[in-house]
Amino acid sequence: QQKVQQSPESLSVPEGGMASLNCTSSDRNFQYFWWYRQHSGEGPKALMSIFSDGDKKEGRFTAHLNKASLHVSLHIRDSQPSDSALYFCAASAPSGGSNAKLTFGKGTKLSVKS
Amino acid sequence: GALVYQYPRRTICKSGTSMRMECQAVGFQATSVAWYRQSPQKTFELIALSTVNSAIKYEQNFTQEKFPISHPNLSFSSMTVLNAYLEDRGLYLCGARDREGTQYFGPGTRLLVL
């Protein structure tokens, strides 16, 4: 069973719109979460980390974590065509400290139409 | 800023031959290096997690005999794909983790096997 599940598989939003991506973990050990973005032909780039319940905002990006339901979301406000990419959710357990293994979801493909 | 370089970006090898790829973290102290393979379907497979001065931990389905890794210092790691065959094709990503736990990825080495 996939321990980190992402939805939707693909998403299309108009330029200027709001994109909402979801991620759920089936492993209660996962307490730390990251969002990564990967443009075609490039490696994944770390967008945000979130370790505590609630919202974390960085510019147009807002992550929300609910540890009780093991659900984390990413909201992109005022979406731009350059935001079109694959978005991955990654999670790790606290055990092993900063070197704990990262587990990735299968990704959400975001398309922003101008 | 934190950067991870990988070399080569792309390589083609004959079936049954071997190839070596390199990874360098610049601008931060990497506490660990993880090697992944990203499939054409974009899913991540963790190959191994390497911490300097500790044993390299390989994931199930990946062995040191097939994917030997060298991690001589905090900023440099290399991995060899020995006896490469068609199923070894993919994008090999190196992720270097900083002290806060965020993993920074290089652009990857794309391996094609003929």
Side-chain angles (χ1 to χ4, degrees), chain B residues 20-23 35 67-72 76-80:
Chain B
R20 180 172 178 264
M21 55 190 77
E22 299 179 348
C23 171
W35 286 93
F67 298 95
I69 290 169
S70 170
H71 191 183
F76 182 83
S77 177
S78 66
M79 183 176 76
T80 301

Side-chain angles (χ1 to χ4, degrees), chain A residues 55-67:
Chain A
D55 291 337
K56 183 177 181 182
K57 187 178 178 182
E58 291 185 4
R60 296 185 294 112
F61 299 87
T62 301
H64 177 81
L65 174 60
N66 181 327
K67 284 192 177 183

Side-chain angles (χ1 to χ4, degrees), chain A residues 31-104:
Chain A
Q31 295 286 303
Y32 302 152
F33 294 86
W34 288 261
W35 283 101
Y36 284 83
R37 179 166 76 181
Q38 186 177 28
H39 284 108
S40 180
E42 299 178 7
K45 180 183 174 183
L47 277 177
M48 294 180 70
S49 61
I50 186 164
F51 304 154
S52 303
D53 276 326
D55 291 337
K56 183 177 181 182
K57 187 178 178 182
E58 291 185 4
R60 296 185 294 112
F61 299 87
T62 301
H64 177 81
L65 174 60
N66 181 327
K67 284 192 177 183
S69 61
L70 295 177
H71 180 261
V72 60
S73 57
L74 179 69
H75 305 278
I76 307 173
R77 173 178 57 83
D78 188 23
S79 297
Q80 301 298 307
S82 58
D83 293 327
S84 298
L86 271 171
Y87 288 77
F88 292 97
C89 171
S92 76
S95 59
S98 65
N99 291 322
K101 187 173 78 169
L102 266 188
T103 299
F104 283 82

